Amino acid sequence: QVELVESGGGLVQPGGSLNLSCAASGFTVQSFVLNPVAWYRQAPGKERTLVASITSRVNTKNYADSVKGRFTISRDSAAKTVNLVMHNLKPEDTAVYFCNLRIGNRNYWGQGTQVTVSS
């Protein structure tokens, strides 16, 4: 059974940091390494939007303008995890964060982890 499980969310004050992790199981290492992975987020009443991604093969990293310079995405191929390090968090970063792995035309999603930025 293939599965993506996110962890690391929580409540943090503005200016704080969080490290999100997404563990992939049921996928081969090859399928995890050779396909694009990404983090998305969805705030209440809003659409799910792309936060950061790593393309396949050349591992190019892309970020939404709103998080550039604050968030860093990385992939640990051996551990089959995708991580998102978030610094200088703002209230507008509050959302449920989802991990995504795309294999061909199929998207795999985790269940999401809540990030709340509030004083």
Side-chain angles (χ1 to χ4, degrees):
Q1 179 180 356
V2 296
E3 191 177 28
L4 298 173
V5 179
E6 300 96 336
S7 62
L11 173 64
V12 63
Q13 292 186 344
S17 300
L18 281 175
N19 295 344
L20 304 184
S21 185
C22 171
S25 61
F27 300 95
T28 64
V29 172
Q30 184 178 23
S31 65
F32 180 76
V33 170
L34 296 182
N35 290 286
V37 293
W39 283 93
Y40 286 74
R41 67 187 181 187
Q42 186 167 18
K46 295 187 177 181
E47 294 184 352
R48 190 173 298 188
T49 58
L50 178 67
V51 176
S53 64
I54 303 177
T55 63
S56 55
R57 299 186 183 277
V58 295
N59 285 327
T60 300
K61 298 180 181 180
N62 298 293
Y63 297 92
D65 288 343
S66 60
V67 306
K68 282 181 181 176
R70 301 188 297 122
F71 290 12
T72 302
I73 188 173
S74 62
R75 170 163 45 192
D76 186 328
S77 301
K80 287 192 288 184
T81 59
V82 184
N83 303 301
L84 186 68
V85 177
M86 307 184 294
H87 294 303
N88 190 21
L89 283 161
K90 305 175 181 181
E92 52 264 42
D93 294 318
T94 295
V96 178
Y97 284 69
F98 297 91
C99 176
N100 172 268
L101 170 62
R102 182 174 177 85
I103 300 177
N105 292 325
R106 184 166 183 176
N107 279 295
Y108 295 89
W109 296 94
Q111 83 290 348
T113 184
Q114 176 70 46
V115 171
T116 302
V117 184
S118 175
S119 56

